[in-house]
Amino acid sequence: MRSFFLLIAAAGVAAFIGCAESIPAVGTASGIVVFEYNDVAELPHTRLAVFVDMHSDIRRTQWLRVVSRQQRYEWTGSEPLLFTNGGHQWVGCTNFACPDVQAVPQGLYDVQYTDAAGRTETGTFFVSYPAALLTADVDAVLPVLAGRTNEYVAAFSDTDILVYYGERQTSWEDDTALFAAIPDATRYRTCYVDTAESFVCVLPPVLRTDIAGAE
């Protein structure tokens, strides 16, 4: 679940400050397509999140450029997120969307990292997902996924702080039990993460105030 954890973790990180001089060196690049459901009656909104594991100091990062070889879509993140996780330094962008609500292309992508001195390094990553997800509502998600994902719960406080991310516990017989076990959570979202970490389905939020006995 590394890629989606980065997606969650990146939401609350602060940018690095200061300057350091080092030659840019790209380690691995990864992309994850996010299928986000905001309401049970809607089809998902899709976006592409990209993370680059840098083997050099990230504090002089200028931008990330990402290109789909399939459709030649191109995105540039001029203010990418900079953060550390698990002893690694990451540069990432989480909101690359296609024009005219088009689907995020599957296939091979090129990513270019550029630092403040104009020096560049490149990498590649591959994206794949079931095309049927593009027209699947919430009720149709699980049949489309057909056992190729793992289920996780992301719970948030009233100030949008992530207070829990992990598997749904067997002791949580219902939503009342879940909120009782995570007292700081005011809402949670179920996340189905591809076992290959190429896509994630994020279901609509469940609010504590909507659950009887969870207030």
Side-chain angles (χ1 to χ4, degrees):
M1 65 178 185
R2 184 194 68 178
S3 293
F4 185 61
F5 179 79
L6 291 175
L7 182 65
I8 291 290
V13 298
F16 284 79
I17 59 174
C19 292
E21 185 69 22
S22 64
I23 298 174
V26 170
T28 59
S30 59
I32 183 167
V33 179
V34 181
F35 293 82
E36 185 168 9
Y37 292 86
N38 294 318
D39 188 273
V40 294
E42 297 179 359
L43 294 179
H45 299 278
T46 60
R47 56 189 168 92
L48 176 66
V50 177
F51 300 97
V52 179
D53 182 5
M54 296 298 298
H55 292 172
S56 56
D57 197 304
I58 61 177
R59 289 174 291 179
R60 289 177 57 82
T61 297
Q62 190 71 24
W63 63 67
L64 282 183
R65 177 173 173 264
V66 176
V67 179
S68 163
R69 292 192 187 181
Q70 179 73 18
Q71 296 290 345
R72 304 308 302 173
Y73 288 153
E74 179 180 320
W75 300 270
T76 299
S78 58
E79 296 182 354
L81 298 166
L82 312 177
F83 61 101
T84 61
N85 177 267
H88 294 260
Q89 296 188 100
W90 296 94
V91 177
C93 296
T94 62
N95 288 295
F96 289 146
C98 292
D100 302 321
V101 200
Q102 296 295 310
V104 174
Q106 301 192 62
L108 191 63
Y109 285 74
D110 294 300
V111 59
Q112 181 184 80
Y113 169 91
T114 302
D115 70 5
R119 298 173 298 193
T120 63
E121 279 292 314
T122 60
T124 61
F125 62 89
F126 192 87
V127 163
S128 176
Y129 57 82
L133 282 176
L134 296 168
T135 55
D137 60 18
V138 170
D139 291 336
V141 166
L142 287 180
V144 171
L145 297 180
R148 62 176 289 179
T149 60
N150 295 314
E151 179 183 355
Y152 298 98
V153 169
F156 301 87
S157 71
D158 57 359
T159 56
D160 293 331
I161 295 174
L162 181 70
V163 295
Y164 177 83
Y165 178 70
E167 296 180 353
R168 184 184 294 270
Q169 303 300 308
T170 56
S171 60
W172 300 345
E173 299 178 351
D174 53 25
D175 288 337
T176 301
L178 183 153
F179 282 114
I182 314 174
D184 293 333
T186 58
R187 73 184 190 283
Y188 81 87
R189 305 187 77 159
T190 299
C191 310
Y192 293 103
V193 183
D194 174 32
T195 54
E197 299 188 336
S198 189
F199 69 89
V200 58
C201 295
V202 182
L203 300 194
V206 177
L207 305 181
R208 179 185 288 270
T209 54
D210 290 342
I211 305 302
E215 296 84 355

